């Protein structure tokens, strides 16, 4: 995606609009289960393969056709739009606030800072923030300073917000250029808890990736492996990147809408939709379409994986998910302190079994591919979710 016309636009946060579903959302939700069954059983197109004959694609194959990083064109877009901060030229504002969707596993703002050799302000440990023993932040002087994750400077407890207040005051009083990243759930919380909007400029973000941008990005990732792999749409048995194909267009429109055009959510959903022919499940010889080279690997692009939140009578799983999203990631010990007086551990177990959250190196985080279901659940229950 080197063509600048395919880069997401740099916009005010309030102007963000997710791509629309190909059909009315209410109708789609009502019939989602029926449609999913229909897709799984559809056999009308010659060469289409039954879902029963498909299995998980190896990590090695996925990395060949859909390699990381998951942020796609955003690094290029950051370089294009934040060049004054890199070259230390005068800009309209000495402080730039970029509010991004949650579940960014690649830490895109920090990656951009390292790419441009900019200093990052390292946050204290969560334990020192909770205990009130964290050192006061020092902005200092020099070239542009980057704070990759504003949420890393606070814990959502009444006694653990002093540090973020100190940081906001230091940013407001400094003459140094500062670029700040923050996830949208933390920003919604900080606006209400410490009046962060009074200290910082209006937040910016990037426009949602539309169906054409996603198709172009994933085709670019796959292009270097076209001699070794072929990607076919499960329902049509056609090349998934073929132009003027109604099935392909519908797939990428649904991917854009489901992911809200968030690069890392779309990337994870895309990889999960790539399945391979499970030869152990079928002896039929026509499950794989003819390819030019018998040594080519065939991957099938299937319907987007659907996630479901645990079915409970309480909002406990949603409270846990909101807390994780606000902090980006959090340990179980700290989660209990952020959510005192409730059985948070019980919800953690349910969410892990449902594949909604992940635990790695002792830290809980939300899985990017599950974010559409998480956001839908939070929205339906009246939780503040922001615009993205």
């Amino acid at each position: 995606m080197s063509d600048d016309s395919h880069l997401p636009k740099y916009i005010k946060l309030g102007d963000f609009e997710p791509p629309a579903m190909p059909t009315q959302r209410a109708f789609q939700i009502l019939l989602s289960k029926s449609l999913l069954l229909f897709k799984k059983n559809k056999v009308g197109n010659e060469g289409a393969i039954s879902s029963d004959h498909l299995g998980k694609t190896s990590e090695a194959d996925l990395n060949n056709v859909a390699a990381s990083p998951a942020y796609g064109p955003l690094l290029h877009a950051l370089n294009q739009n934040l060049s004054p901060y890199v070259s230390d030229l005068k800009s309209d504002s000495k402080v730039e606030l970029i509010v991004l969707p949650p579940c960014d596993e690649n830490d895109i703002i920090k990656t951009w800072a390292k790419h441009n050799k900019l200093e990052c302000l390292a946050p204290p440990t969560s334990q020192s923030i909770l205990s009130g023993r964290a050192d006061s932040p020092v902005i200092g002087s020099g070239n542009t300073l980057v704070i990759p994750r504003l949420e890393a400077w606070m814990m959502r407890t009444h006694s653990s917000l002093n540090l973020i207040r100190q940081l906001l005051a230091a940013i407001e009083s400094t003459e140094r250029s500062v670029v700040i990243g923050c996830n949208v759930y933390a920003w919604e919380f900080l606006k209400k808890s410490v009046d962060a909007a009074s200290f910082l400029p209006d937040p910016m973000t990037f426009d949602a990736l539309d169906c054409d941008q996603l198709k172009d990005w994933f085709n670019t990732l796959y292009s270097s492996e076209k001699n070794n792999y072929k990607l076919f749409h499960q329902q049509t048995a056609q090349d998934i990147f073929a132009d003027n194909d109604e099935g392909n267009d519908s797939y990428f429109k649904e991917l854009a809408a489901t992911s809200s055009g968030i690069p890392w959510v779309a990337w994870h959903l895309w990889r999960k939709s790539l399945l391979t022919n499970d030869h152990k499940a079928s002896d039929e010889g026509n499950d794989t379409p003819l390819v030019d080279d018998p040594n080519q690997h065939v991957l099938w692009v299937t319907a987007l994986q659907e996630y479901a939140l645990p079915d409970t009578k309480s909002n406990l799983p949603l409270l846990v998910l909101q807390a994780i999203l606000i902090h980006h990631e959090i340990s179980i010990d700290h989660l209990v302190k952020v959510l005192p007086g409730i059985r948070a551990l019980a919800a953690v177990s349910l969410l892990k079994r449902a594949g909604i959250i992940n635990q790695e190196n002792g830290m809980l985080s939300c899985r990017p591919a599950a974010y559409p279901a998480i956001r839908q659940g939070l929205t339906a229950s009246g939780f503040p979710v922001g615009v993205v």
Side-chain angles (χ1 to χ4, degrees):
M1 297 187 68
S2 58
D3 185 351
D4 289 353
S5 65
H6 285 278
L7 292 179
K9 295 179 181 178
Y10 194 52
I11 60 173
K12 292 182 178 180
L13 179 63
D15 292 337
F16 182 91
E17 292 186 8
M21 274 288 180
T23 57
Q24 291 183 358
R25 186 168 182 82
F27 180 74
Q28 184 181 26
I29 292 174
L30 181 64
L31 296 182
S32 59
K33 293 183 179 180
S34 299
L35 289 175
L36 185 61
L37 290 172
F38 174 75
K39 288 179 180 179
K40 286 183 177 180
N41 295 323
K42 184 179 179 182
V43 294
N45 292 308
E46 184 179 356
I49 184 171
S50 168
S51 296
D52 294 336
H53 300 158
L54 296 176
K56 186 176 180 180
T57 300
S58 71
E59 194 72 13
D61 285 336
L62 288 175
N63 290 338
N64 285 336
V65 299
S68 61
Y71 50 69
L74 282 199
L75 183 60
H76 189 181
L78 282 166
N79 284 328
Q80 183 183 72
N81 289 280
L82 298 183
S83 57
Y85 291 93
V86 175
S87 57
D88 210 29
L89 297 174
K90 260 198 166 182
S91 61
D92 294 337
S93 173
K94 65 182 177 65
V95 177
E96 192 81 3
L97 172 61
I98 306 168
V99 173
L100 295 173
C103 306
D104 169 21
E105 299 173 319
N106 295 120
D107 213 346
I108 178 62
I109 301 296
K110 187 175 183 178
T111 300
W112 167 80
K114 287 185 174 181
H115 183 264
N116 290 285
K117 298 180 173 57
L118 297 175
E119 179 187 352
C120 290
L121 188 63
T125 65
S126 299
Q127 184 57 44
S128 66
I129 296 175
L130 278 169
S131 66
R133 294 195 295 267
D135 293 333
S136 298
V138 178
I139 299 297
S141 59
N143 295 335
T144 298
L145 178 70
V146 179
I147 303 174
R149 291 190 184 275
L150 190 60
E151 60 267 29
W153 289 81
M154 64 93 182
M155 296 294 289
R156 199 189 63 176
T157 68
H158 180 71
S159 61
S160 302
L161 295 176
N162 287 335
L163 186 67
I164 192 72
R165 291 189 179 98
Q166 293 173 16
L167 178 61
L168 291 171
I171 293 170
E172 186 182 39
S173 61
T174 188
E175 292 300 319
R176 190 175 186 182
S177 294
V178 184
V179 174
I180 305 166
C182 186
N183 88 63
V184 68
Y185 286 82
W187 179 242
E188 290 297 313
F189 170 71
L190 290 171
K191 283 193 303 181
K192 296 178 180 179
S193 61
V194 297
D195 196 20
S198 297
F199 295 88
L200 300 175
D202 291 339
M204 303 294 290
T205 193
F206 287 97
D207 201 5
L209 295 182
D210 63 25
C211 57
D212 293 329
Q213 290 170 315
L214 289 176
K215 183 177 180 181
D216 182 69
W217 172 24
F218 295 140
N219 192 16
T220 300
L221 292 181
Y222 158 67
S223 60
S224 63
E225 292 289 339
K226 284 185 177 179
N227 291 330
N228 300 318
Y229 294 87
K230 290 294 183 182
L231 272 59
F232 292 95
H233 194 288
Q234 180 191 5
Q235 302 307 320
T236 65
Q238 298 298 313
D239 184 335
I240 189 63
F241 296 113
D243 293 328
N244 301 318
D245 184 281
E246 185 177 346
N248 294 349
D249 291 344
S250 178
Y251 171 83
F252 284 108
K253 286 179 180 178
E254 185 175 351
L255 176 60
T258 301
S259 66
S260 294
I262 302 170
W264 38 87
V265 175
W267 183 82
H268 279 276
L269 289 172
W270 167 246
R271 283 168 60 102
K272 287 183 177 297
S273 71
L274 299 177
L275 301 183
T276 189
N277 189 357
D278 185 357
H279 294 287
K280 295 179 182 179
S282 172
D283 295 327
E284 296 177 20
N286 62 347
D287 277 342
T288 301
L290 294 176
V291 292
D292 297 333
D293 186 342
N295 293 319
Q296 286 181 319
H297 298 279
V298 172
L299 299 181
W300 294 92
V301 181
T302 62
L304 298 178
Q305 182 173 343
E306 293 188 356
Y307 288 81
L309 300 185
D311 186 12
T312 65
K313 295 181 180 180
S314 73
N315 278 342
L316 183 55
L318 295 175
L319 289 169
V320 169
L321 290 170
Q322 183 196 38
I324 295 174
L325 289 171
I326 286 174
H327 295 88
H328 172 60
E329 59 180 11
I330 191 171
S331 69
I332 289 181
D333 289 343
H334 292 161
L335 178 67
V336 173
K337 294 178 180 180
V338 166
L339 293 172
I342 66 173
R343 298 176 61 250
L345 295 183
V348 167
S349 297
L350 288 174
L351 291 167
K352 286 170 65 175
R353 285 200 297 270
I356 303 298
I357 64 174
N358 185 47
Q359 184 174 4
E360 187 173 348
N361 298 323
M363 303 299 288
L364 299 171
S365 60
C366 294
R367 293 183 182 272
Y371 179 60
I374 296 171
R375 180 178 172 83
Q376 183 180 353
L378 290 171
T379 303
S381 294
F383 284 75
V385 296
V387 298
V388 60

